[in-house]
Amino acid sequence: MSNLLFTKTHEWVEFLDETTAKIGLTDYAQKELGDLVFVNLPEAGDEIGAGESIGDVESVKAVSEVYSPVTGTVSKVNEELLDHPDLINSEPYESWFVIFEDITDKEELLEKAEYERFLKGEE
Amino acid sequence: MDKKTPLYESHLRLGGKMVPFAGYLLPVQYETGVITEHMAVRNAAGLFDVSHMGEILLKGKDTLLNIQKLVTNDCANMYIGQVKYSPMCYEDGGVVDDLLVYKREEESYLLVVNASNREKDARFIKEHLFGEVTMEDVSDSIAQIALQGPAAEKILPKLCNIADIPVKYYTFKENVKVGDMNAIISRTGYTGEMGYELYVKNEDGEKLWELLLEKGKAEGLIPCGLGARDTLRLEAAMPLYGHEMDETITPLETGLTFAVKFHKEDFIGKDGLLSRGEPKRKRIGLRITGRGIARENCPVYAGDTLIGYTTSGTHLPYLGFPGAMAVVTKDYDTKNRLSVEIRGKKVEAEETGLPFYKNTGK
């Protein structure tokens, strides 16, 4: 997870090459949300802009949107999460949400150390 | 400024995630999380800080007459040590609150009310008192702890004389010794499991909490927050004020007919409820069969016809599927498929009997 980048809305991004990236939720996000029991994913082929919603996750108590850190096309969604949303709780950095391809733009992304400093400010 | 219960420091030590609720800072969950806490209560035991609940004492020669007027249930034949559940209504039949009536002595009763309604209730009661009766709101001096789950009956005897533990559901014993503290032990709860609610003075709250956790550890007892309290009561289909009943949803519409006694000579709301006639709505259970989790206030459809709204809903942790309660028109066409509108999308649902979960004596 050394090459992960982070958003201020608590998604992580792993660039597989210049225009392809995996997106997931950070450990901080899963802890704040609590036990996840439901996930809504986009569909392969969806074109999504940076900052737009790519789906939502629901805990027992509430629903939260997941925002795309990049502008691009969804090439793959992690369907395993549909039946096992709790994987995001147990393995947040393994449980990717979607893979984007043809990425043309991205949000402000933080390095690990910057994200950790940002989290300290959140507390 | 939100108030702290006497257990506030304990919650912080235990890693409770504190949130404001009904004017108090209370843990919504501990590090274990809502689902683990929920399952602990179904399979072993959980401990809840419910000190935010309101306690109102009524005393004097005319107490019973006043209670009979105030609440819809019939308290005339209660025995000392008995607890009774009842709604309290406005003249028009809308609900002020739902509460527990504890008969302590012939002329002394304790009412336990919802935290969010406490001040409204105290005002309402005071306005309607007559004859020889005094009211005292003692909420701020009492800590209440709920010990819930099948292991509760193994844990509590470690702290007190077994003869001091009430055996029958909806009974209580007062002035009993738990540890070295003076307590009320009530065989009641809000989880759908067997369990007890213990009332002590504020000063003893933290000590009782710590003692219960210590003695219950071997039986699997863990502290539980408001999150699990809500999912447990929802799974057991226990109504919550502000959701399944309020000023606009009457006790009869929400399935509390058993607690409304029209044979009583008079009570506030009797005429209002009678003049409304047969209720046109009812509370039902919904199992969400499509993809989604219904929360409160989602529109419910039979085919294309709007028949009502959900009043509470979540993923039901023990049963493992999403469920909701809803208040809907009584005579909807059952041939039509039901659906619940979740954030603009209709999701399939089916009616199920309530409660979703019933303890079958495991």
Side-chain angles (χ1 to χ4, degrees), chain A residues 35 60, chain B residues 30-43 45-46 220 222-224 228 317:
Chain A
D35 296 329
V60 190
Chain B
Y30 298 87
E31 276 161 5
T32 39
V34 176
I35 291 180
T36 304
E37 293 166 22
H38 183 108
M39 297 306 270
V41 173
R42 291 275 177 259
N43 297 320
I222 59 168
C224 300

Side-chain angles (χ1 to χ4, degrees), chain B residues 41-322:
Chain B
V41 173
R42 291 275 177 259
N43 297 320
L47 201 62
F48 300 81
D49 177 7
V50 282
S51 300
H52 57 299
M53 299 295 285
E55 289 90 8
I56 294 170
L57 280 173
L58 291 176
K59 277 181 195 168
K61 189 166 68 59
D62 296 324
T63 304
L64 177 61
L65 288 176
N66 275 278
I67 289 176
Q68 289 291 74
K69 184 87 192 285
L70 284 166
V71 305
T72 60
N73 209 338
D74 189 354
C75 298
N77 295 317
M78 283 176 76
Y79 51 87
I80 291 170
Q82 192 185 355
V83 185
K84 202 160 241 190
Y85 169 83
S86 182
M88 177 163 75
C89 283
Y90 293 105
E91 293 289 356
D92 71 354
V95 182
V96 182
D97 199 3
D98 63 337
L99 49 85
L100 293 181
V101 180
Y102 285 69
K103 181 167 181 175
R104 304 172 64 220
E105 293 163 29
E106 283 308 326
E107 298 179 358
S108 171
Y109 291 75
L110 172 71
L111 307 181
V112 179
V113 304
N114 281 301
S116 49
N117 290 334
R118 169 189 156 194
E119 279 157 26
K120 176 182 79 176
D121 292 353
R123 264 199 315 277
F124 182 85
I125 293 168
K126 204 160 197 179
E127 275 166 22
H128 289 91
L129 290 182
F130 61 91
E132 208 173 296
V133 61
T134 57
M135 185 195 89
E136 191 186 355
D137 182 347
V138 293
S139 311
D140 288 335
S141 60
I142 294 178
Q144 194 195 146
I145 294 170
L147 171 67
Q148 300 280 300
E153 57 187 340
K154 292 187 206 116
I155 297 166
L156 199 54
K158 296 181 187 179
L159 280 78
C160 60
N161 192 330
I162 199 146
D164 287 338
I165 300 177
V167 177
K168 222 174 146 225
Y169 192 45
Y170 270 66
T171 62
F172 71 101
K173 300 217 175 180
E174 193 165 11
N175 286 319
V176 298
K177 243 180 155 187
V178 179
D180 58 357
M181 292 159 268
N182 182 293
I184 293 176
I185 304 178
S186 174
R187 175 74 181 77
T188 47
Y190 198 47
T191 60
E193 293 300 327
M194 90 83 57
Y196 306 97
E197 293 175 304
L198 296 105
Y199 300 79
V200 292
K201 287 184 301 201
N202 271 351
E203 306 86 275
D204 291 335
E206 194 169 3
K207 199 163 142 196
L208 176 62
W209 174 265
E210 300 290 342
L211 189 63
L212 281 162
L213 279 181
E214 183 199 318
K215 299 285 182 190
K217 202 168 180 184
E219 311 290 343
L221 176 70
I222 59 168
C224 300
L226 293 171
R229 183 167 160 86
D230 193 46
T231 54
L232 286 158
R233 72 96 196 161
L234 220 163
E235 213 168 54
M238 298 174 115
L240 172 61
Y241 187 86
H243 292 255
E244 282 70 41
M245 78 197 90
D246 59 18
E247 295 89 344
T248 66
I249 303 173
T250 73
L252 305 182
E253 291 172 321
T254 206
L256 297 174
T257 312
F258 72 93
V260 181
K261 297 292 162 61
F262 288 109
H263 67 248
K264 281 205 298 185
E265 197 178 323
D266 192 25
F267 61 85
I268 302 167
K270 184 178 178 181
D271 294 343
L273 286 168
L274 284 173
S275 71
R276 287 173 190 238
E278 270 295 298
K280 291 167 197 70
R281 300 190 289 177
K282 61 174 181 181
R283 174 160 57 107
I284 61 167
L286 292 170
R287 179 183 180 141
I288 313 300
T289 47
R291 281 188 47 78
I293 295 177
R295 312 279 174 177
E296 61 189 275
N297 294 326
C298 294
V300 181
Y301 293 90
D304 293 325
T305 313
L306 177 69
I307 58 168
Y309 292 87
T310 58
T311 50
S312 300
T314 188
H315 171 82
L316 303 173
Y318 186 83
L319 299 170
F321 60 79

Side-chain angles (χ1 to χ4, degrees), chain A residues 31-32 35 37-40 56 58-63 82, chain B residues 17 33-36 227 230-231 291-293 295 314-315 343:
Chain A
K31 272 194 194 134
E32 281 298 298
D35 296 329
V37 293
F38 187 77
V39 167
N40 251 326
D56 44 56
E58 298 201 34
S59 69
V60 190
K61 288 303 285 178
V63 53
L82 297 175
Chain B
K17 190 168 173 184
V34 176
I35 291 180
T36 304
D230 193 46
T231 54
R291 281 188 47 78
I293 295 177
R295 312 279 174 177
T314 188
H315 171 82
R343 280 169 282 136

Side-chain angles (χ1 to χ4, degrees), chain A residues 14-65:
Chain A
E14 181 188 0
F15 276 94
L16 304 174
D17 62 44
E18 288 223 329
T19 58
T20 317
K22 266 188 187 174
I23 314 292
L25 286 171
T26 69
D27 188 44
Y28 175 85
Q30 69 82 13
K31 272 194 194 134
E32 281 298 298
L33 292 165
D35 296 329
L36 294 177
V37 293
F38 187 77
V39 167
N40 251 326
L41 298 169
E43 284 175 26
D46 284 356
E47 289 175 24
I48 294 171
E52 289 177 10
S53 169
I54 45 172
D56 44 56
V57 289
E58 298 201 34
S59 69
V60 190
K61 288 303 285 178
V63 53
S64 309
E65 297 230 49

